[in-house]
Amino acid sequence: QVQLIETGGGLVQPGASLRLSCAASGRTFNRDTMAWFRQASGKEREFVAATFRSYGRTYYGDSMKGRFTISRDTSKNSVYLQMNDLKPEDTAVYYCAADPSLILSDLRRHQAYDYWGRGTQVTVSS
């Protein structure tokens, strides 16, 4: 059974950092596109970051550039999201997603991903 499990969310103050982890199981995801999306209450799911297939190239949503970093560890079948300088507007449920055959033009479309985790809550508040 394929599973994606996110961990690392929590409540932090503005300016703090968090590192989210996504552990994949059930098969090897090393050649998949792995991504993070987020969804704030009452809003649509938003693209955060992705690492495209096994090429190693990374992509970010506009408001995350320079603050967030996505990385993957193929030996652990995992992907990570380092989030720095967190802001209240970063508050959302963060989801890990994966797809083995995604094309680059679909990278930012959540509808294009086959596999999803259940999400982890990130709350940024003073």
Side-chain angles (χ1 to χ4, degrees), residues 7-12 18 20 83 86 91-92 120-125:
T7 56
L11 171 63
V12 296
L18 275 177
L20 305 183
M83 305 186 293
L86 283 162
T91 295
T120 185
Q121 176 71 47
V122 172
T123 302
V124 185
S125 175

Side-chain angles (χ1 to χ4, degrees), residues 4-11 18-23 36-40 45 48 79-81 83 90-97 116-124:
L4 301 177
I5 299 177
E6 305 97 333
T7 56
L11 171 63
L18 275 177
R19 184 176 186 246
L20 305 183
S21 300
C22 172
W36 290 94
F37 287 79
R38 70 185 183 185
Q39 190 164 17
R45 195 161 294 193
V48 174
V79 65
Y80 308 96
L81 185 68
M83 305 186 293
D90 294 318
T91 295
V93 178
Y94 284 70
Y95 297 92
C96 177
W116 289 88
R118 293 188 175 183
T120 185
Q121 176 71 47
V122 172
T123 302
V124 185

